[in-house]
Amino acid sequence: MAVTLSNIVAGITRIQIIKDSTYATATWSSDPAAAFITEFGAESAGTTTAKLVDLSSLQGPAVVEYSCEHEKIEIEQDTFFVKHLLKAESLTVKFNLAESIFWNLQVGIAGMADPASATVGPGVIGPVSAGAATSTIHHYAIKIVSVGTAVATPVRRIIIPKAYATGNMGVSFTKSGIQMIPCEFSAVRGQETGGDMIPVGWIVDAAS
């Protein structure tokens, strides 16, 4: 008997980001999808958003990971747990950038200050002023788009309004091969200018 498969998400993935947004739109908590468009611009050609920067070529997949910790509730009169409560949650994005340019290095290294030039640097790692206790750290809004086999047709979008680079950087120098830049971002609970909380993330499919 033949089996018909459907909803197979495959094809090209694009990642777009913007740095240090102020989240001035006042509808993040009530209508995050509309707030994202107001804040960063509408999509064109089905995939790109006006104010976001396309990170271009990836080496391998982009991996979005959700994990959680449970607090199990039990009572003495029952042998089963009666309820699970969420104790902690995390949402991370991991990918390798194929283009080893200074802009991409700054995206992947949390403690790098803005490079003097996006193409040749220099990019300072560590506190940039005398007596500073910490390095400069930027946050990013991230949009991951799976565009499927028809490049102009998005299949699934994952939106993370606020995240920080939390990965370890390891850049290899070899005679051959691509010098990849590994990136990892962890989502945080943001707050808009008006004081309302911003959703940590959401998923939108093409039919939504």
Side-chain angles (χ1 to χ4, degrees):
M1 178 179 177
V3 177
T4 301
L5 299 178
S6 61
N7 296 323
I8 304 300
V9 179
I12 298 170
T13 297
R14 302 181 67 168
I15 297 181
Q16 296 154 351
I17 66 171
I18 188 171
K19 181 172 61 178
D20 296 337
S21 175
T22 58
Y23 308 100
T25 306
T27 59
W28 279 102
S29 59
S30 59
D31 191 348
F36 189 86
I37 293 174
T38 301
E39 189 94 23
F40 304 124
E43 286 189 342
S44 60
T47 58
T48 59
T49 298
K51 296 182 182 180
L52 301 186
V53 176
D54 197 328
L55 289 182
S56 192
S57 300
L58 303 182
Q59 182 73 13
V63 180
V64 180
E65 295 181 348
Y66 169 83
S67 63
C68 62
E69 297 179 21
H70 293 258
E71 188 73 41
K72 298 176 181 178
I73 308 300
E74 59 182 329
I75 59 175
E76 195 65 32
Q77 296 82 4
D78 203 328
T79 57
F80 282 91
F81 294 109
V82 296
K83 192 173 185 179
H84 281 220
L85 297 177
L86 282 177
K87 183 179 180 180
E89 297 175 275
S90 67
L91 183 64
T92 61
V93 182
K94 300 177 183 179
F95 52 87
N96 293 319
L97 296 175
E99 294 183 88
S100 186
I101 59 175
F102 251 92
W103 164 256
N104 286 349
L105 280 171
Q106 186 214 352
V107 169
I109 300 177
M112 180 185 284
D114 288 326
S117 166
T119 55
V120 296
V124 178
I125 300 175
V128 294
S129 60
T134 60
S135 302
T136 300
I137 184 168
H138 301 285
H139 61 263
Y140 296 88
I142 304 174
K143 184 176 80 168
I144 302 106
V145 184
S146 176
V147 298
T149 53
V151 176
T153 306
V155 176
R156 175 167 293 157
R157 304 171 182 85
I158 299 177
I159 310 294
I160 300 176
K162 189 173 185 179
Y164 288 92
T166 53
N168 298 320
M169 175 62 65
V171 179
S172 61
F173 294 84
T174 63
K175 291 188 295 183
S176 60
I178 296 174
Q179 188 183 80
M180 297 180 298
I181 298 177
C183 294
E184 178 179 333
F185 290 88
S186 295
V188 298
R189 173 76 73 183
Q191 191 172 23
E192 66 184 40
T193 304
D196 288 339
M197 303 306 290
I198 298 172
V200 173
W202 64 91
I203 301 172
V204 182
D205 272 7
S208 299

